Amino acid sequence: MSDAPTLETELARARDLSVATLADAIESIGFECTRCGACCRGHPSEDGDDHEPHTATVFPDEVRRLQDAASETTDGSETGTSEAAETYDWRDVARPMPYGLVGGDEGPEGETFEWALQTDACGDCVFYEEVGERADGSPKGACGVHEDRPLICETYPFSVSLGGTSQPMGEAVDEAGIVRAHECEGLGREIDREDAEELAAALKERAVRELTEAIAVRDNYEPQDVDGVVVHDSEGAKRPDGSPVDVDRRGE
């Protein structure tokens, strides 16, 4: 019998996390965003022979919020122009998490869990923008939906070391208590207390959300006998366009 803690146990721990303690850990590690954009772009594969797309988990409600936010930023309302609004559908914002999928005759197929932010042809997050240069001449990165960005983006490069929570961009490179820090050139820079506490509160919220989502995915999971790709999230089984799997067509 496994002694591993259950997701429910880890969720209880996440809800009991002290924001002040998390902020202490973040302060001890140090962080300031340098606008390098590395956490928003694709990256070389481990063997160096290929380019891996940016992969960041996004919750179903975050996808819908990003659809609304992206549409609002392209309708001309902020600039006072009369441009027609651009409607963002589910696929513009999110894609099936690639893990577990295989190549079929007509494209990817199989079952996977959760969603990743959509990427462009270069493997960068579809909302990533370059808005000038940094002091060293390298591109300055920006997020086109910064105010509505997902929790995983809001809290990068940190995570908490609880079972059932994610480690973005690979294993940790530093840690303090329960807080893990992941690869980022902004680590080690001074952060003021107010910013550390704001980041800590978001980090706790993300840990609770990830575990709540994981429990719902587990409880709702039912294998699907359908062609193509099926994504299991906290709301049930979905097609890549975000629509529910039609149970009446199962097995066709």
Side-chain angles (χ1 to χ4, degrees):
M1 180 178 295
S2 174
D3 294 327
T6 65
L7 291 175
E8 286 80 3
T9 299
E10 296 294 73
L11 176 58
R13 291 181 63 197
R15 287 173 170 158
D16 286 341
L17 288 173
S18 163
V19 170
T21 301
L22 294 177
D24 290 342
I26 290 169
E27 275 190 307
S28 71
I29 296 172
F31 170 68
E32 179 186 17
C33 180
T34 64
R35 305 284 296 276
C36 70
C39 60
C40 306
R41 301 196 308 267
H43 55 280
S45 61
E46 291 185 2
D47 58 17
D49 294 332
D50 202 355
H51 197 71
E52 298 289 344
H54 172 267
T55 303
T57 306
V58 58
F59 303 126
D61 63 307
E62 291 179 325
V63 175
R64 289 187 285 268
R65 189 174 74 245
L66 287 168
Q67 284 180 260
D68 293 340
S71 297
E72 289 173 3
T73 58
T74 58
D75 69 2
S77 59
E78 294 184 2
T79 61
T81 65
S82 58
E83 299 173 8
E86 181 179 351
T87 301
Y88 275 64
D89 65 25
W90 189 279
R91 288 180 189 246
D92 293 324
V93 173
R95 62 191 175 94
M97 196 62 81
Y99 313 122
L101 301 182
V102 297
D105 293 338
E106 299 182 5
E109 57 185 34
E111 294 182 282
T112 188
F113 298 89
E114 300 294 359
W115 302 90
L117 284 171
Q118 186 58 275
T119 55
D120 61 18
C122 297
D124 301 340
C125 174
V126 72
F127 297 115
Y128 174 68
E129 304 172 352
E130 291 184 353
V131 291
E133 294 184 347
R134 300 192 296 165
D136 63 0
S138 61
K140 178 186 289 186
C143 174
V145 288
H146 187 266
E147 293 302 316
D148 295 280
R149 67 197 186 281
L151 280 166
I152 197 166
C153 301
E154 185 178 352
T155 54
Y156 192 82
F158 298 102
S159 66
V160 294
S161 53
L162 293 174
T165 59
S166 67
Q167 293 199 64
M169 302 279 280
E171 296 295 324
V173 297
D174 198 358
E175 60 183 350
I178 200 169
V179 173
R180 303 175 294 209
H182 302 268
E183 186 174 356
C184 176
E185 71 171 41
L187 290 173
R189 297 169 181 257
E190 185 175 353
I191 181 171
D192 65 40
R193 185 65 185 186
E194 183 178 355
D195 289 341
E197 289 180 348
E198 182 178 346
L199 184 50
L203 191 58
K204 176 179 179 177
E205 180 184 0
R206 180 181 135 213
V208 171
R209 285 295 314 276
E210 286 183 338
L211 285 157
T212 302
E213 184 83 6
I215 290 169
V217 171
R218 180 201 64 193
D219 292 347
N220 291 333
Y221 175 72
E222 291 184 6
Q224 302 295 312
D225 183 18
V226 296
D227 294 332
V229 172
V230 175
V231 182
H232 297 274
D233 64 28
S234 59
E235 299 173 350
K238 295 190 176 89
R239 289 297 197 177
D241 64 359
S243 62
V245 171
D246 186 348
V247 294
D248 293 331
R249 296 176 58 193
R250 191 174 299 165
E252 288 185 8

